[in-house]
Amino acid sequence: MLKPIEIIEDLFYVGVNDRTKALFENLWPLQKGVSYNSYLLNDEKTALFDTVDICYSDIFLQKLETALKGKQLDYLIINHMEPDHSGSMGLLRLKYPNIEIVGNAKTLDMVKGFYGISQGVRLIKDGEELSLGKHKLQFHLTPMIHWPETMMTYETTKKIIFSGDAFGTFGTLDGGITDKQLRPEKYWNEMIRYYSNIVGKYGSPVQKALEKLSHLELDVICSTHGPVWTEKKNIAQVISMYNRMSKYEADKGVVIAYGSMYGNTEQMAEAIAAEIAALGIRDIILHNVSKRAHSYIIRDIFKYKGLMIGSPTYNNQLFPEIESLISKLEGLNMKNRYFGYFGSYTWAGAAIKRLSTFSDLPGFELVGQPVEMKQSLQIDTVEACCALGRAMATRLNADDN
């Protein structure tokens, strides 16, 4: 039987790792797996923070029972109702029928809707407190990060924030639980991917939450995915990353995402990239949308300021994978990006028209003249692609002045 892990005095990790699931939310690849984090505060009263995916309820309940050391479970604090965190709630209530389920009004409505539980619940309001003994909890509502019921719970004695999905990452916890026990650098890209894929649309609510909680002193961040953050430099970096991403700020660099059936549109992308590199831009990432999962393309679009999209015409429409990527980006409310586009066709062009509609979205600054190619790459098309690449590089370099 797996044992719970004591993070600091009275605080135990009772979460689990998922190395089986292929797609998070049936959308996003989990090449490095994911953890579902749950925590127990063992005091005069005991409080559990979130549960885990029901697929791992047996391991979770065994860990919890061991961590309780024969005591009863008094409270289940629900920071987020998504089923990867609330899925074991029904089984938990069966095992501990006297627990009080603590949540805000929107949380408790979902508790009833998902699990049919309406008794033995405690409704809390923003700023309300709950004493466990020497540990006192404060509840801070942070709606739309990224569901309407989301909240964070702050423990005042040890300065712990139980942050729900905020500050989380993809990737399993392989032995170590805290950032002191593992190498945090392997999670930074996965944090960007997690944020961009899951939370990316909700930049404004994230900004409001960061401002609301900015007065709290944090010694420990307990997210529901990824490492427990305990080192000051890592806590500062986590908060800084969320601040930048929620403002849609990005580094100097370009993502070129393209579709290509027979390689002609890909040659356009290569010509554009070569010209950008010739003008000193070092971070250039080319993504063939037919081979690279959109999850990673979106991550890189959140990382870099320049975005260029290229597509052949396909059935008088955009190439399907480009259409799908654009749809996802539109749903994320992307902002503060320099945008250029290019396309190709054989007998009737349509891709450029659709990409021009995308370029009109608020938050996109169009750079350069779009390039449309008929059939194959000729010298005039190469020159036009180079001009488009120069326009992007020039715009990025202008930010340095």
Side-chain angles (χ1 to χ4, degrees), residues 328-374:
K328 291 183 177 73
L329 293 175
E330 288 173 335
L332 290 173
N333 294 335
M334 283 299 303
K335 301 174 185 176
N336 300 334
R337 292 297 180 273
Y338 304 139
F339 182 64
Y341 60 98
F342 56 99
S344 64
Y345 68 99
T346 298
W347 67 89
I352 285 292
K353 293 179 182 178
R354 172 69 176 97
L355 288 170
S356 70
T357 301
F358 180 65
S359 72
D360 290 336
L361 289 176
F364 281 75
E365 179 182 327
L366 185 63
V367 298
Q369 183 66 34
V371 182
E372 186 173 42
M373 178 181 72
K374 184 176 181 179

Side-chain angles (χ1 to χ4, degrees), residues 40-60:
L40 176 74
L41 259 180
N42 201 337
D43 200 343
E44 294 174 21
K45 295 284 188 177
T46 57
L48 179 72
F49 298 85
D50 298 300
T51 71
V52 303
D53 191 295
I54 194 168
C55 296
Y56 295 89
S57 58
D58 54 342
I59 300 171
F60 159 69

Side-chain angles (χ1 to χ4, degrees), residues 99-381:
I99 61 167
E100 193 167 27
I101 297 173
V102 180
N104 60 67
K106 291 181 179 178
T107 297
L108 297 184
D109 182 63
M110 291 186 184
V111 170
K112 183 176 180 180
F114 274 109
Y115 305 109
I117 297 173
S118 58
Q119 301 297 315
V121 300
R122 175 182 290 209
L123 172 65
I124 57 93
K125 296 181 180 179
D126 192 28
E128 191 170 333
E129 295 185 347
L130 175 65
S131 177
L132 303 179
K134 61 183 178 181
H135 297 283
K136 182 184 291 183
L137 306 179
Q138 294 177 347
F139 303 108
H140 299 273
L141 273 58
T142 54
M144 295 317 301
I145 310 178
H146 49 117
W147 278 28
E149 89 302 351
T150 51
M151 72 177 192
M152 301 188 195
T153 304
Y154 182 65
E155 191 282 324
T156 61
T157 304
K158 298 291 186 178
K159 301 178 176 60
I160 308 164
I161 191 85
F162 298 93
S163 60
D165 273 354
F167 313 124
T169 82
F170 290 129
T172 54
L173 300 173
D174 300 334
I177 300 298
T178 73
D179 52 359
K180 292 180 180 179
Q181 298 173 315
L182 44 78
R183 296 194 181 276
E185 55 269 18
K186 76 176 186 177
Y187 291 96
W188 297 135
N189 262 339
E190 287 295 83
M191 176 172 282
I192 297 171
R193 189 165 72 92
Y194 182 85
Y195 178 92
S196 63
N197 293 186
I198 309 301
V199 190
K201 178 177 181 175
Y202 303 101
S204 179
V206 171
Q207 279 291 301
K208 290 178 181 178
L210 290 173
E211 174 63 26
K212 181 177 184 176
L213 302 175
S214 61
H215 67 285
L216 298 179
E217 185 178 350
L218 301 181
D219 286 344
V220 184
I221 296 178
C222 290
S223 174
T224 47
H225 296 294
V228 175
W229 305 104
T230 64
E231 295 193 314
K232 288 294 184 182
K233 63 178 181 179
N234 292 328
I235 289 173
Q237 180 162 342
V238 164
I239 294 172
S240 175
M241 288 172 67
Y242 260 65
N243 186 42
R244 291 195 75 215
M245 290 188 292
S246 59
K247 291 179 180 177
Y248 300 94
E249 294 178 354
D251 295 332
K252 183 178 180 180
V254 184
V255 174
I256 303 176
Y258 67 90
S260 192
M261 289 180 284
Y262 302 109
N264 293 302
T265 313
E266 183 176 51
Q267 290 180 48
M268 297 176 75
E270 295 275 12
I272 292 167
E275 191 66 20
I276 294 172
L279 291 175
I281 307 299
R282 301 183 68 177
D283 288 314
I284 305 168
I285 301 178
L286 273 72
H287 284 298
N288 181 337
V289 296
S290 297
K291 296 196 69 175
R292 191 61 162 160
H294 292 178
S295 176
Y296 298 95
I297 302 174
I298 292 169
R299 176 199 65 190
D300 290 339
I301 291 170
F302 265 77
K303 287 176 68 174
Y304 297 111
K305 186 78 171 180
L307 170 62
M308 309 192 81
I309 295 181
S311 174
T313 295
Y314 190 89
N315 285 341
N316 207 34
Q317 302 288 334
L318 282 173
F319 189 64
E321 285 296 319
I322 289 290
E323 184 71 61
S324 177
L325 175 64
I326 284 178
S327 177
K328 291 183 177 73
L329 293 175
E330 288 173 335
L332 290 173
N333 294 335
M334 283 299 303
K335 301 174 185 176
N336 300 334
R337 292 297 180 273
Y338 304 139
F339 182 64
Y341 60 98
F342 56 99
S344 64
Y345 68 99
T346 298
W347 67 89
I352 285 292
K353 293 179 182 178
R354 172 69 176 97
L355 288 170
S356 70
T357 301
F358 180 65
S359 72
D360 290 336
L361 289 176
F364 281 75
E365 179 182 327
L366 185 63
V367 298
Q369 183 66 34
V371 182
E372 186 173 42
M373 178 181 72
K374 184 176 181 179
Q375 293 162 1
S376 67
L377 199 67
Q378 306 296 326
I379 188 63
D380 59 334
T381 310

Side-chain angles (χ1 to χ4, degrees), residues 64-75:
L64 176 60
E65 183 177 8
T66 303
L68 284 167
K69 301 176 182 178
K71 299 176 69 173
Q72 287 298 307
L73 182 60
D74 296 300
Y75 301 111

